[in-house]
């Protein structure tokens, strides 16, 4: 299973046949590793409705016919924009596909869709290619990250570290300890000035204080798990 980092909180997970795109924010991100029309996902998963997670979802979904998943209000917004294949779980819900499944879990963060509908944010636990990936979405540190990982042991955690809008790299070290993933990949940092941080310092702290290893990816880099 390959994990390609496309910048900010956007990743593409691939098991060799399916391509699962999470939180496409490309056309508005000068550091993005791809343009929206360069991607050909089979599925699109959204953690929440903020523009830095959803900006290119409608365009990509309409062009590719990708099946989309998001919290019900976010899913309803996609349907209103004319996206055809949309699943609308709420927190705790699991959607199954031929490649595996995605479960929406708690994230402590605000959310609204681009038309101003207030909704919840989520994290995503994704089972694909024999691995379990936990994309934390945007969130502060909360203790039940441990419970989420207890329910489904996590191989790879995709974790915001930039602070300001999410937990910072210091709280994220504690998150890494609670989750206990084999591998942690940081995201949601250095895209804008308020979320600039030191990813190498985060890596040093996690690897000295927890049993997890950190893989720092530049936009465009991939990690095989
Ligand atoms: Ni957000
Ligand atoms: Mn965000």
């Amino acid at each position: 299973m390959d994990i390609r980092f496309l910048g900010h909180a956007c990743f593409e997970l691939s098991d060799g046949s399916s391509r699962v795109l999470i939180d496409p924010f490309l056309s508005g991100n000068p550091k993005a590793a791809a343009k929206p029309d360069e991607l050909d996902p089979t599925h699109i998963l959204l953690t929440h409705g903020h523009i830095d997670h959803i900006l290119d979802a409608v365009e990509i979904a309409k062009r590719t016919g990708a099946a989309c998943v998001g919290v019900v209000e976010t899913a309803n917004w996609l349907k209103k924009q004319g996206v055809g294949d949309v699943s609308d779980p709420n927190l705790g819900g699991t959607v199954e596909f031929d490649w595996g499944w995605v479960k929406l879990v708690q994230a402590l963060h605000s959310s609204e869709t681009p038309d101003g509908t207030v909704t919840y944010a989520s994290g995503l636990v994704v089972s694909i290619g024999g691995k379990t990936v936990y994309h934390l979405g945007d969130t502060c540190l909360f203790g039940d990250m441990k419970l989420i990982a207890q329910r489904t042991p996590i191989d790879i955690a995709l974790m915001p570290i930039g602070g300001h809008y999410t937990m910072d790299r210091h709280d994220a070290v504690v998150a890494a300890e609670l989750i206990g993933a084999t591998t942690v990949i940081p995201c949601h940092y250095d895209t804008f000035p308020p979320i600039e941080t030191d990813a190498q310092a985060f890596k040093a702290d996690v690897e000295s204080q927890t049993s997890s290893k950190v893989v720092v990816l530049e936009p465009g880099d991939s990690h095989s798990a």
Side-chain angles (χ1 to χ4, degrees):
M1 198 273 296
D2 288 318
I3 299 173
R4 184 178 172 213
F5 181 47
L6 294 164
H8 200 54
C10 181
F11 292 87
E12 189 171 71
L13 315 180
S14 178
D15 63 0
S17 54
S18 296
R19 296 169 300 282
V20 180
L21 181 66
I22 302 176
D23 282 4
F25 173 61
L26 305 160
S27 60
N29 177 10
K31 297 182 177 176
K35 294 186 167 60
D37 63 5
E38 294 170 342
L39 298 178
D40 185 27
T42 55
H43 298 74
I44 299 173
L45 314 180
L46 301 171
T47 62
H48 66 297
H50 282 154
I51 206 73
D52 60 317
H53 298 258
I54 203 173
L55 180 64
D56 301 306
V58 170
E59 179 191 332
I60 296 171
K62 284 185 175 177
R63 176 174 52 78
T64 62
C68 298
V69 180
V71 172
V72 57
E73 291 82 3
T74 305
N76 288 341
W77 179 82
L78 290 175
K79 291 178 196 168
K80 276 188 208 161
Q81 311 314 307
V83 176
D85 189 347
V86 182
S87 295
D88 62 349
N90 212 317
L91 301 182
T94 299
V95 182
E96 297 192 10
F97 294 103
D98 53 1
W99 47 263
W101 49 263
V102 55
K103 181 177 183 179
L104 271 58
V105 297
Q106 181 181 12
L108 280 179
H109 186 73
S110 66
S111 179
E112 62 178 2
T113 55
D115 64 1
T117 304
V118 174
T119 179
Y120 279 95
S122 69
L124 305 170
V125 178
V126 182
S127 175
I128 180 170
K131 300 289 181 181
T132 305
V133 179
Y134 175 18
H135 190 308
L136 275 67
D138 283 2
T139 188
C140 62
L141 177 64
F142 61 95
D144 282 352
M145 288 174 183
K146 186 181 177 78
L147 185 62
I148 291 166
Q150 183 183 316
R151 281 286 295 118
T152 313
I154 305 298
D155 296 301
I156 301 120
L158 312 176
M159 183 178 294
I161 67 165
H164 195 77
Y165 302 113
T166 69
M167 60 185 179
D168 62 18
R169 70 174 176 88
H170 305 288
D171 281 351
V173 175
V174 180
E177 184 167 21
L178 292 174
I179 294 165
T182 306
T183 304
V184 172
I185 299 176
C187 65
H188 212 278
Y189 68 95
D190 284 1
T191 317
F192 321 109
I195 61 172
E196 285 174 1
T197 196
D198 185 342
Q200 293 300 332
F202 170 71
K203 174 180 169 73
D205 288 345
V206 169
E207 293 185 349
S208 65
Q209 296 172 41
T210 81
S211 58
S212 298
K213 295 294 178 202
V214 174
V215 175
V216 177
L217 298 179
E218 295 298 321
D221 286 353
S222 292
H223 174 73
S224 292

